[in-house]
């Protein structure tokens, strides 16, 4: 070959080298996943193509804030951080303190090779319930009593705004369990025993996430910007149907029953664009839901075409075995293979990384399953706009606990009150109570206790007692603010009969009920009101005219006392705005609430739901007396 030919080949080779390398350089400079003008699918595929196995597994993890300093987000490529119940950055932390913490974690995530942002998750199940000064709405059972999906939607929007006010982007809400047995400790997280009512209340999802566009394909997650959050329908599926209401246990029902009772809420949630679905700790006919390939991959993903991601419950894969963590390799393989995409592994995340890496490299889990999980997680991240706006917005901090939200909570409280009894006959009602009376008695353990009023999942996982950790209005304070200025209000928590008889009270308001609880700690086989509740009812109502207000997460044993009670109100767990209770007691608004679940006579009847052949309730599903508003009420 002559020199001229060699020169031509050299020039050609140099050209090819430049072409290849310029292409690489341009590719590095122009990463499709960073371009918000491209479709989410294009961005997801570009990013997945660039990721190592280590980076993919990191995205599948959600770790508790206490166990992961921000620099470890970079080291392990962690996809998400969470607060377990009561886990806070500082006592009575401000919105700004929360934002500082979330942004610090975000800096760690963004410092990784590919700069994939993380999102932060929290249980905001009746408002932003872990946060000091947040608005606490009624628990779901009370919202079910309102029969008002539009109200629930507005509560979702208010909750989303308060969550974003602290920099957090993801809430484990709504719980769309259909509680079939009030002995279950999570029954108050369920809107109703009725699947259709639960379905209607999934209207909270567009409140949390935003209105799904008309042209949006079915099953695709939708989050409408920085004032909205990622929602989570939970706990998939059948969590409210366990035998004897025992938390996390076995739901024994045929497939047709599962589909008719426990599945409808998920159909509605998916159609409304819910971004995530959480697996249940419970089992269906002996098979743990966290390991249920047929229901997670087969039905949820392949039949219902759910395109969001499935998340485990807190340490959910640990509990696939009994005892928990008996064989963690088996549990991780079972959970990933079933179709769970993101794993709440609060503490043992390095173990999860090591085991899952081994399972993939040894071909026990195909890379296609890992890629499916990561695609779903990244799809939600791109949809929520976190790649473009990764840091929390301090300007939203002002929305935490604002008066507009407290007014909304007060509206929800009054609409959730169910009047079960009002005098011995319709022509002699006790309610509405007269505002003007010489002297009235307020009694009971729950009359002046915001913690009791709010129930579990408030500040702490199991709830709190007292008025120091919450901002709101107790029922006692609400009564004092509502009655005539000349009316004397006497509060005595547990008065004896002599005290009641000797004080010439016009009437009494007795507020008693359950103490706060959450999850398995609330499982109860007797459902009795704790002492001294029954004693207070007996002492007061045996002596003078009384209205009894029951603060509880479910129906409780009340039949033995009904005869001595003049008026009876189911107030559920109303939250921080007790003024809503006084609004209906004194007639500024009428009672409109209807029972979201059957009120039994004795626990021996349980489980008992509307339509059962042995249905013999104290008060049936849907029962609720009404009153008309009366602006000026005076005693005779």
């Amino acid at each position: 070959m002559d020199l001229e030919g060699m020169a031509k080949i050299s020039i050609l080779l140099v050209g090819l080298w430049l072409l290849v390398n310029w292409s690489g350089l341009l590719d590095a400079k122009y990463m499709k996943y960073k371009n918000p003008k491209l479709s989410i699918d294009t961005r997801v595929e570009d990013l997945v193509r660039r990721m190592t196995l280590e980076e993919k597994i990191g995205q599948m993890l959600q770790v508790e804030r206490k166990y992961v300093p921000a620099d470890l987000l970079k080291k392990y490529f962690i996809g998400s951080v969470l607060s377990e119940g009561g886990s806070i950055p500082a006592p009575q932390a401000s919105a700004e303190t929360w934002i500082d913490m979330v942004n610090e974690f975000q800096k760690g995530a963004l410092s990784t090779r590919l700069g994939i942002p993380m999102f932060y998750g929290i249980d905001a199940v009746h408002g932003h319930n872990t946060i000091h000064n947040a608005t606490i709405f009624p628990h779901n059972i009370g919202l079910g009593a309102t029969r008002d999906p539009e109200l629930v939607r507005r509560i979702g929007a208010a909750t989303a705004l308060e969550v974003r006010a602290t920099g957090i982007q993801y809430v484990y809400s709504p719980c769309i369990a259909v509680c079939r047995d009030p002995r279950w400790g999570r029954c108050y997280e369920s809107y109703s025993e009725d699947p259709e009512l639960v379905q209607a209340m999934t209207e909270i999802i567009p409140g949390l996430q935003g209105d799904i566009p008309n042209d949006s394909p079915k099953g695709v997650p939708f989050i409408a910007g920085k004032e909205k959050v990622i929602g989570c329908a939970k706990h998939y599926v059948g969590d409210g149907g366990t035998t004897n209401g025992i938390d996390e246990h076995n739901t024994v029902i045929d497939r047709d029953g599962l589909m008719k009772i426990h599945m409808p809420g998920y159909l509605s949630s998916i159609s409304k664009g819910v971004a995530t679905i959480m697996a249940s700790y419970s089992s269906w006919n002996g098979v743990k839901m966290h390991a249920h390939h047929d229901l997670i991959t087969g039905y949820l993903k392949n039949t219902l075409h759910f395109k969001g991601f499935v998340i485990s419950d807190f340490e959910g894969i640990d509990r696939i075995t009994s005892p928990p963590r008996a064989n963690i390799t088996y549990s991780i393989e079972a959970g990933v293979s079933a179709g769970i995409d993101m794993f709440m592994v609060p503490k043992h995340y390095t173990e999860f990384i090591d085991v899952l890496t081994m399972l993939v490299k040894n071909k026990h889990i195909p890379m296609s399953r890992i890629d499916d999980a990561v695609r779903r997680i990244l799809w939600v991240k791109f949809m929520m706009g976190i790649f473009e706006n990764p840091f929390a917005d301090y300007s939203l901090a002002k929305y935490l606990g604002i008066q507009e939200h407290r007014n909304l909570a007060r509206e929800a409280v009054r609409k959730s009150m169910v009047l079960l009894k009002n005098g011995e006959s319709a022509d002699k009602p006790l309610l509405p109570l007269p505002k003007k009376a010489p002297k009235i008695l307020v009694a009971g353990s729950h009359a002046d206790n915001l913690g009791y009023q709010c129930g579990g999942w408030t500040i702490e996982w199991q709830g709190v007692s007292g008025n120091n950790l919450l901002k709101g209005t107790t029922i006692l304070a609400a009564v004092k603010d509502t009655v005539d200025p000349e009316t004397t209000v006497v509060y005595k928590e547990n008065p004896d009969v002599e005290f009641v008889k000797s004080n010439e009270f016009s009437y009494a308001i007795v507020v008693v009920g359950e103490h706060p609880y959450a999850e398995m700690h609330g499982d109860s086989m007797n459902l009795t009101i704790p002492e001294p509740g029954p004693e207070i009812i007996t002492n007061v109502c045996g002596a003078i005219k009384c209205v009894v207000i029951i603060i509880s997460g479910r129906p409780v044993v009340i039949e033995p006392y009904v005869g001595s009670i003049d008026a009876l109100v189911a107030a559920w767990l109303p939250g921080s705005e007790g003024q809503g209770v006084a609004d209906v007691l004194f007639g500024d608004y009428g009672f409109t609430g209807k029972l979201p679940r059957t009120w039994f006579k004795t626990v021996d009847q349980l489980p008992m739901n509307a339509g059962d052949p042995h249905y013999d309730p104290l008060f049936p599903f849907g029962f609720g007396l009404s009153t008309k508003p009366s602006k000026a009420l005076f005693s005779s």
Side-chain angles (χ1 to χ4, degrees):
M1 186 181 288
D2 59 14
L3 287 172
E4 186 180 350
M6 290 175 69
K8 284 180 179 176
I9 289 170
S10 297
I11 291 167
L12 184 64
L13 289 170
V14 168
L16 284 169
W17 182 89
L18 284 168
L19 186 64
V20 169
N21 282 278
W22 272 111
S23 165
L25 290 168
L26 284 169
D27 194 38
K29 190 174 180 183
Y30 175 64
M31 296 180 175
K32 289 181 181 178
Y33 78 89
K34 292 189 174 181
N35 184 353
K37 294 179 181 175
L38 297 176
S39 72
I40 292 178
D41 286 339
T42 300
R43 298 176 77 184
V44 167
E45 289 309 312
D46 180 62
L47 183 48
V48 170
R49 182 174 60 82
R50 298 171 187 275
M51 294 171 74
T52 64
L53 175 60
E54 191 180 9
E55 287 166 331
K56 290 174 181 178
I57 290 174
Q59 284 301 300
M60 295 170 69
L61 275 168
Q62 187 176 61
V63 178
E64 218 291 326
R65 52 164 288 280
K66 295 193 296 288
Y67 306 118
V68 57
D71 61 326
L72 289 189
L73 262 70
K74 178 180 181 180
K75 181 177 179 180
Y76 296 114
F77 311 103
I78 303 294
S80 183
V81 182
L82 82 146
S83 277
E84 62 182 321
S87 178
I88 57 178
Q92 300 187 3
S94 66
E96 289 81 4
T97 299
W98 279 93
I99 290 173
D100 290 343
M101 179 193 70
V102 173
N103 282 346
E104 198 59 35
F105 282 124
Q106 194 65 279
K107 288 174 190 171
L110 295 175
S111 66
T112 54
R113 180 179 74 94
L114 294 169
I116 303 172
M118 68 93 216
F119 54 71
Y120 197 102
I122 199 164
D123 283 281
V125 297
H126 62 141
H128 200 8
N129 47 256
T130 305
I131 311 299
H132 182 61
N133 283 341
T135 308
I136 308 297
F137 293 94
H139 267 298
N140 285 356
I141 190 170
L143 299 182
T146 70
R147 300 296 201 278
D148 191 342
E150 188 272 335
L151 170 70
V152 170
R153 176 198 182 94
R154 286 187 283 138
I155 288 171
T159 300
L161 195 53
E162 294 207 15
V163 170
R164 282 290 200 165
T166 58
I168 295 169
Q169 313 97 337
Y170 181 25
V171 299
Y172 311 124
S173 175
C175 177
I176 53 172
V178 182
C179 175
R180 303 292 284 179
D181 192 325
R183 291 174 292 185
W184 185 38
R186 302 193 83 144
C187 204
Y188 63 76
E189 296 186 58
S190 167
Y191 293 107
S192 178
E193 70 188 43
D194 176 43
E196 288 187 15
L197 182 50
V198 172
Q199 266 194 299
M201 293 306 178
T202 60
E203 195 60 19
I204 193 172
I205 291 166
L208 291 167
Q209 296 190 168
D211 287 312
I212 189 166
N214 291 330
D215 58 353
S216 182
K218 186 177 183 298
V220 174
F222 180 76
I223 304 105
K226 68 177 185 178
E227 293 185 359
K228 298 297 181 180
V229 293
I230 307 168
C232 180
K234 66 183 189 182
H235 309 86
Y236 185 83
V237 59
D239 52 342
T242 58
T243 302
N244 297 327
I246 297 171
D247 192 40
E248 303 185 15
H249 277 235
N250 192 23
T251 297
V252 179
I253 192 171
D254 62 22
R255 192 177 186 93
D256 185 55
L258 186 81
M259 294 296 161
K260 284 181 178 174
I261 294 172
H262 299 286
M263 196 63 77
Y266 291 95
L267 306 184
S268 298
S269 298
I270 292 167
S271 72
K272 291 173 182 178
V274 75
T276 77
I277 290 174
M278 185 185 292
S280 177
Y281 287 130
S282 59
S283 304
W284 177 43
N285 295 335
V287 180
K288 288 279 189 181
M289 279 308 309
H290 274 72
H292 213 299
H293 180 273
D294 174 39
L295 283 176
I296 295 176
T297 297
Y299 190 73
L300 185 61
K301 291 183 174 181
N302 295 342
T303 301
L304 298 183
H305 305 294
F306 173 60
K307 303 297 184 190
F309 68 82
V310 179
I311 189 167
S312 82
D313 208 332
F314 190 87
E315 295 179 338
I317 51 165
D318 293 4
R319 304 190 204 181
I320 289 174
T321 58
S322 183
R325 295 184 55 78
N327 185 340
I328 202 65
T329 301
Y330 165 77
S331 294
I332 291 171
E333 181 175 359
V336 175
S337 299
I340 297 173
D341 304 305
M342 180 172 274
F343 292 81
M344 263 194 229
V345 182
K347 194 173 184 178
H348 301 290
Y349 50 90
T350 57
E351 176 187 57
F352 179 92
I353 292 166
D354 293 342
V355 171
L356 185 51
T357 301
M358 179 271 293
L359 288 168
V360 174
K361 287 185 173 175
N362 291 338
K363 300 193 170 17
H364 294 293
I365 292 175
M367 185 59 89
S368 59
R369 172 73 273 272
I370 303 299
D371 286 347
D372 171 58
V374 174
R375 282 189 182 98
R376 289 166 178 273
I377 293 162
L378 293 177
W379 213 100
V380 170
K381 288 187 176 185
F382 282 117
M383 165 54 73
M384 66 188 289
I386 199 170
F387 276 83
E388 285 66 58
N389 297 291
F391 291 107
D393 186 348
Y394 285 90
S395 71
L396 296 178
K398 64 188 177 188
Y399 292 111
L400 183 68
I402 59 173
Q403 192 58 46
E404 181 185 343
H405 293 169
R406 295 189 179 278
N407 293 344
L408 175 61
R410 179 175 171 179
E411 176 188 348
V413 172
R414 59 178 176 254
K415 287 181 174 179
S416 69
M417 298 293 105
V418 180
L419 182 56
L420 298 173
K421 182 180 180 183
N422 192 14
E424 287 305 317
S425 60
D427 59 345
K428 288 186 178 179
L430 179 62
L431 301 179
L433 294 170
K435 291 182 182 178
K436 193 166 186 179
K439 185 163 62 167
I440 65 174
L441 171 65
V442 178
S445 49
H446 289 55
D448 191 31
N449 194 315
L450 277 174
Y452 284 6
Q453 209 170 286
C454 292
W457 289 112
T458 308
I459 304 299
E460 299 282 351
W461 174 39
Q462 294 294 322
V464 294
S465 176
N467 301 329
N468 297 330
L469 297 172
L470 288 151
K471 181 180 177 184
T473 304
T474 67
I475 293 169
L476 174 64
V479 169
K480 289 179 174 178
D481 287 346
T482 305
V483 296
D484 187 271
E486 294 180 12
T487 295
T488 300
V489 177
V490 176
Y491 172 60
K492 194 166 181 65
E493 185 174 325
N494 187 9
D496 58 30
V497 175
E498 184 56 36
F499 177 85
V500 178
K501 287 182 173 176
S502 62
N503 269 279
E504 297 182 346
F505 295 112
S506 302
Y507 57 82
I509 299 169
V510 176
V511 193
V512 295
E514 296 187 299
H515 298 151
Y517 55 82
E519 297 187 57
M520 74 289 292
H521 295 273
D523 287 357
S524 171
M525 292 301 112
N526 58 44
L527 294 177
T528 52
I529 298 170
E531 291 292 351
E535 180 188 355
I536 298 168
I537 294 172
T538 302
N539 288 350
V540 177
C541 297
I544 54 170
K545 284 190 294 184
C546 75
V547 53
V548 173
I549 299 168
I550 305 292
I551 304 292
S552 68
R554 53 203 165 185
V556 289
V557 174
I558 194 70
E559 189 196 28
Y561 322 110
V562 170
S564 65
I565 294 170
D566 295 288
L568 177 62
V569 177
W572 314 114
L573 298 168
S576 59
E577 306 311 304
Q579 193 66 48
V581 179
D583 285 343
V584 289
L585 279 185
F586 292 97
D588 291 330
Y589 294 83
F591 277 91
T592 57
K594 305 297 178 188
L595 282 181
R597 59 175 316 101
T598 299
W599 204 294
F600 59 87
K601 291 177 180 174
T602 71
V603 291
D604 296 337
Q605 297 174 296
L606 300 175
M608 179 177 64
N609 297 284
D612 287 350
H614 65 290
Y615 198 66
D616 181 28
L618 182 62
F619 301 106
F621 172 82
F623 180 80
L625 302 172
S626 299
T627 60
K628 287 193 164 37
S630 177
K631 292 295 180 185
L633 293 159
F634 300 97
S635 59
S636 54

